[in-house]
């Protein structure tokens, strides 16, 4: 499961072309912020019931990891919690869009970080 931060006005491409080191620093900072927001209270759904997505005692939140420029969840049910799923009796559970909200919150920060770094060049 993954979402991408959009490259508004080609700013990421411009910075990467002019200074790959500064571009990588912006990426790493923003991925760390997405990771930290996901680990914070309210950043990832948590259930105390063993039969519900989110797992007992925050298994989904505990499965959040970061490796380089990638942030994601290791639990196989993460996409079902994010995007929604059908139930065994034919019902539907709406997705919680927790990762999408996290990435959307990061987009203006990412854009400003790109602008700040381009101004320094």
């Amino acid at each position: 499961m993954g979402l991408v931060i959009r490259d508004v006005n080609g700013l990421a491409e411009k910075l990467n072309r002019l200074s790959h080191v500064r571009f990588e620093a912006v990426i790493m900072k923003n991925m760390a912020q997405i990771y930290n927001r996901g680990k914070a209270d309210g950043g990832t759904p948590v259930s105390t019931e063993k039969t519900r997505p989110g797992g007992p005692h925050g298994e989904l939140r505990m499965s959040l990891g970061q490796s380089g420029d990638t942030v994601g969840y290791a639990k196989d049910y993460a996409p079902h919690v994010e995007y929604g799923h059908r139930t065994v009796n034919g019902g539907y559970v709406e997705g919680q869009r927790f990762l999408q909200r996290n990435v959307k919150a990061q987009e203006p920060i990412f854009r400003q970080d790109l602008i700040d770094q381009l101004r320094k060049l």
Side-chain angles (χ1 to χ4, degrees):
M1 177 174 79
L3 297 169
V4 175
I5 295 177
R6 284 172 269 176
D7 183 8
V8 181
N9 300 326
L11 294 174
E13 182 183 333
K14 289 175 191 172
L15 180 58
N16 190 24
R17 191 174 57 245
L18 295 171
S19 176
H20 187 69
V21 171
R22 287 186 183 204
F23 174 74
E24 287 297 318
V26 168
I27 294 297
M28 296 305 290
K29 173 194 176 261
N30 280 268
M31 291 301 105
Q33 288 178 338
I34 288 172
Y35 171 82
N36 290 335
R37 193 177 298 114
K39 285 289 191 177
D41 285 344
T44 300
V46 175
S47 173
T48 56
E49 296 179 38
K50 290 185 179 195
T51 59
R52 292 187 55 202
H57 311 297
E59 286 181 358
L60 184 59
R61 181 170 43 189
M62 288 187 297
S63 80
L64 180 62
Q66 178 184 2
S67 178
D69 63 354
T70 302
V71 175
Y73 293 87
K75 288 293 185 184
D76 60 351
Y77 57 83
H80 303 289
V81 178
E82 176 74 12
Y83 301 115
H85 60 91
R86 296 254 175 239
T87 62
V88 289
N89 63 3
Y92 184 76
V93 176
E94 288 289 329
Q96 296 185 38
R97 304 295 182 168
F98 57 97
L99 185 56
Q100 182 181 34
R101 280 192 310 274
N102 190 342
V103 170
K104 191 148 188 76
Q106 195 65 34
E107 284 179 351
I109 299 166
F110 178 63
R111 182 178 186 279
Q112 190 59 53
D113 287 348
L114 291 170
I115 290 169
D116 292 347
Q117 288 301 318
L118 284 167
R119 285 185 178 147
K120 291 179 182 180
L121 294 175

